[in-house]
């Protein structure tokens, strides 16, 4: 007997028929003698609807109320999934985040899980119930409903698997695994049988939407065995997220290519090249809880420098006004400009650690297409570039080919 957490995304619970399918799969796992915890997202499109509704009443919704509203989608699907299970003769019980007691901090809309009380779930599992838990939501220490950031049900699934010591966390989605890149952009993209946790983390942080990044962080930290599978197929082994040290096979140089249009570039022009400038620019940005991704600063010959960084597109205007109102005069910057017509493309692979020439190959491939690189950032297993948004798909296609990712 194993304890398995199965997380189903929005498309997997999009209508009653699909929910019945979920229930049938859960029933099969029960019949094999396993204990099953099910985590569900809201029906696809529901959370977006709730977001739009909130914004109709308040352009920048009050965070506490916003979480109260957008957490409701999952309350519907846990109830429906439990009904479908009960109809199949399976003992099932739905739970909100608060009922489990998924305790989070109080940073509404991007709360972090602090602790999960496994008491109630364990008792119900031992009594033969399937526990159906609402993804995406938690509760802070004052009882306020919080949400974990868009796509947060993945994190709920993995965190529950960690807390319960589950044997496996299965993430069911509308694709049958993790691909070398998005097949909608590159039809030749190939499903990976396995990928290391480190690579998955980079891919997720660079824009791959298969798993929410926090869920991957969690899986790494608590060594949760994680598998991505299609909820529309009964066969298929999906993609297993492995740990590098457990991996005996030779690693390809590049495992995948991620991309996103979610970032915007902010450049602070003509600032004095003196100690403390980076702090004076980014301090107020951090204080406003705006995440910064890439950062570039060059030393200028004339004693001034340009300072460039990227933030999420949705936060560009907020960041620009902070800089213009509070920072520009203090640091005597000539000008502050924002550009949201950029995209980020990243190649990821643990094989990079032991190969040279990967960056030059990437840059040559882009140069041959006349694509200008605006920013570069690297880690041990990743090279990311910021380019003009309109060349993004072209860049992904030529890189996929150059690194021979279509071949197994
Ligand atoms: N329903 C939430 C969202 O759309 C959480 C999730 O789907 O994981 O972001
Ligand atoms: Mg999702």
């Amino acid at each position: 007997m194993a304890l398995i957490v199965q997380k189903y995304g929005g498309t997997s619970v999009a209508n009653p028929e699909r929910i019945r399918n979920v229930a049938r799969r859960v029933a099969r796992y029960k019949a094999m003698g396993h204990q099953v915890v099910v985590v569900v997202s809201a029906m696809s499109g529901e959370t977006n609807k709730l977001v739009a509704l909130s914004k109709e009443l308040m352009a920048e919704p009050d965070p506490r109320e916003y979480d109260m509203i957008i957490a409701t989608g999952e309350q519907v699907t846990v109830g429906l999934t439990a009904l479908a299970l009960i109809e199949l003769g399976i003992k099932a019980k739905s739970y909100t985040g608060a009922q489990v007691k998924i305790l989070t901090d109080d940073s509404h809309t991007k709360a972090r899980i602090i602790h999960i009380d496994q008491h109630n779930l364990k008792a119900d599992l031992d009594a033969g119930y399937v526990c159906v838990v609402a993804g995406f939501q938690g509760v802070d220490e004052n009882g306020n409903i919080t949400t974990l950031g868009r796509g947060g049900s993945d994190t709920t699934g993995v965190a529950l698997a960690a807390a319960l010591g589950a044997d496996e966390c299965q993430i069911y989605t509308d694709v049958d695994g993790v691909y070398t890149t998005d097949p909608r952009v590159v039809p030749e993209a190939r499903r990976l049988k396995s990928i290391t946790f480190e690579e998955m983390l980079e891919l997720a942080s660079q824009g791959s939407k298969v798993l929410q990044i926090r869920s991957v962080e969690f899986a790494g930290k608590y060594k949760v065995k994680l598998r991505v599978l299609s909820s529309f197929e009964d066969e298929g082994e999906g993609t297993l997220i492995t740990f590098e040290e457990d991996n005996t096979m030779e690693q390809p140089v590049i495992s995948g290519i991620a991309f996103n249009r979610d970032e915007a570039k902010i450049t602070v022009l003509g600032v004095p090249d003196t100690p403390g400038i980076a702090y004076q620019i980014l301090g107020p940005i951090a204080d406003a809880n705006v995440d910064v991704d890439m950062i570039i600063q060059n030393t200028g010959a004339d004693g001034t420098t340009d300072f460039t960084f990227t933030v999420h597109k949705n936060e560009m205007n907020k960041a620009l006004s902070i800089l213009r109102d509070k920072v520009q005069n203090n640091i005597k910057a000539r000008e502050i400009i924002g550009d949201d017509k950029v995209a980020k493309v990243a190649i990821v692979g643990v094989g990079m650690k032991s190969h040279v020439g990967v960056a030059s190959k990437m840059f040559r491939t882009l140069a041959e297409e006349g694509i200008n690189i605006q920013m570069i950032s690297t880690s041990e297993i990743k090279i990311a570039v910021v380019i003009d948004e309109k060349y993004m798909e072209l860049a992904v296609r030529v890189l996929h080919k150059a690194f021979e990712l279509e071949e197994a």
Side-chain angles (χ1 to χ4, degrees):
M1 183 191 77
L3 170 54
I4 295 171
V5 175
Q6 298 186 335
K7 180 264 170 179
Y8 292 91
T11 48
S12 311
V13 293
N15 57 49
E17 194 39 47
R18 290 191 182 168
I19 293 176
R20 259 185 223 118
N21 265 331
V22 167
R24 284 186 207 113
R25 178 178 291 101
V26 175
R28 284 201 297 280
Y29 274 83
K30 277 296 280 179
M32 289 184 254
H34 301 311
Q35 293 187 327
V36 189
V37 174
V38 179
V39 175
V40 289
S41 297
M43 289 172 157
S44 57
E46 275 313 305
T47 311
N48 286 345
K49 265 188 221 159
L50 296 166
V51 167
L53 258 178
S54 321
K55 292 194 169 164
E56 243 174 72
L57 288 163
M58 195 187 258
E60 300 264 349
D62 174 87
R64 181 186 183 277
E65 304 315 323
Y66 184 67
D67 273 352
M68 175 67 94
I69 297 158
I70 66 172
T72 58
E74 275 74 10
Q75 195 169 332
V76 174
T77 47
V78 280
L80 292 173
T81 306
L83 286 185
L85 284 162
I86 295 166
E87 270 290 298
L88 292 180
I90 295 192
K91 284 164 72 177
K93 215 188 239 187
S94 61
Y95 280 90
T96 63
Q99 285 173 327
V100 173
K101 199 138 191 207
I102 297 177
L103 182 70
T104 72
D105 63 17
D106 61 2
S107 40
H108 283 288
T109 79
K110 43 181 168 185
R112 284 191 175 269
I113 297 176
I114 295 168
H115 181 255
I116 294 184
D117 188 346
Q118 31 157 317
H119 215 83
N120 297 334
L121 294 181
K122 279 266 195 231
D124 278 341
L125 287 171
D126 289 341
Y129 282 92
V130 170
C131 300
V132 188
V133 179
F136 183 51
Q137 54 174 268
V139 64
D140 74 8
E141 61 177 2
N142 295 315
N144 299 303
I145 292 174
T146 55
T147 63
L148 309 178
R150 296 305 305 271
S153 300
D154 291 340
T155 299
T156 308
V158 177
L160 275 170
L164 295 167
D167 297 282
E168 184 164 308
C169 180
Q170 303 173 339
I171 307 277
Y172 287 92
T173 175
D174 50 358
V175 292
D176 62 352
V178 179
Y179 275 66
T180 49
T181 196
D182 188 335
R184 283 169 299 194
V185 173
V186 183
E188 295 79 25
R190 187 172 47 83
R191 178 175 63 83
L192 298 159
K193 284 204 169 71
S194 71
I195 185 167
T196 68
F197 147 76
E198 271 182 296
E199 290 170 320
M200 197 60 232
L201 192 59
E202 283 286 7
L203 287 175
S205 69
Q206 299 303 317
S208 158
K209 300 247 157 41
V210 182
L211 289 173
Q212 197 212 29
I213 179 157
R214 286 216 185 137
S215 70
V216 186
E217 283 169 5
F218 240 100
K221 193 160 162 198
Y222 297 101
K223 286 242 162 187
V224 174
K225 189 172 165 202
L226 193 61
R227 193 185 288 279
V228 177
L229 297 143
S230 165
S231 68
F232 302 123
E233 287 170 20
D234 289 335
E235 308 289 315
E237 53 182 28
T239 301
L240 182 67
I241 321 291
T242 58
F243 293 88
E244 203 185 339
E245 54 275 23
D246 303 338
N247 227 329
T248 48
M249 287 190 301
E250 163 127 45
Q251 296 297 317
V253 182
I254 300 300
S255 294
I257 303 178
F259 52 85
N260 77 69
R261 292 185 183 86
D262 298 342
E263 285 181 38
K265 191 177 78 168
I266 293 179
T267 305
V268 185
L269 290 161
V271 294
D273 190 11
T274 53
I277 286 296
Y279 172 63
Q280 285 187 66
I281 293 172
L282 295 181
I285 299 289
D287 292 344
N289 218 355
V290 174
D291 280 329
V292 171
D293 179 28
M294 281 194 205
I295 304 170
I296 286 189
Q297 194 212 299
N298 248 327
T299 307
D302 60 349
T304 69
T305 181
D306 299 339
F307 190 97
T308 306
F309 61 97
T310 62
V311 297
H312 195 281
K313 255 177 203 173
N314 293 344
E315 302 194 300
M316 181 179 84
N317 287 335
K318 182 170 166 190
L320 284 174
S321 30
I322 292 169
L323 292 175
R324 287 179 181 140
D325 297 351
K326 299 195 189 138
V327 180
Q328 184 162 10
N329 277 339
N330 298 346
I331 61 169
K332 305 194 175 47
R334 189 169 74 244
E335 201 186 343
I336 294 169
I337 36 187
D339 178 2
D340 62 0
K341 298 278 180 292
V342 295
K344 188 163 75 163
V345 175
I347 60 175
V348 172
V350 292
M352 248 183 238
K353 289 184 191 172
S354 51
H355 284 79
V356 293
V358 180
S360 71
K361 183 169 179 174
M362 180 185 197
F363 302 154
R364 172 165 31 93
T365 305
L366 297 175
E368 280 167 2
E369 298 297 329
I371 300 171
N372 184 39
I373 299 171
Q374 302 178 14
M375 296 174 83
I376 301 169
S377 86
T378 65
S379 78
E380 252 193 318
I381 63 162
K382 169 209 76 187
I383 305 166
V385 295
V386 168
I387 58 175
D388 188 327
E389 177 180 78
K390 66 175 182 262
Y391 298 124
M392 189 188 78
E393 297 201 353
L394 173 64
V396 175
R397 277 197 299 273
V398 294
L399 290 169
H400 199 270
K401 199 161 179 63
F403 287 99
E404 295 168 10
L405 288 178
E406 72 275 16
E407 283 147 47

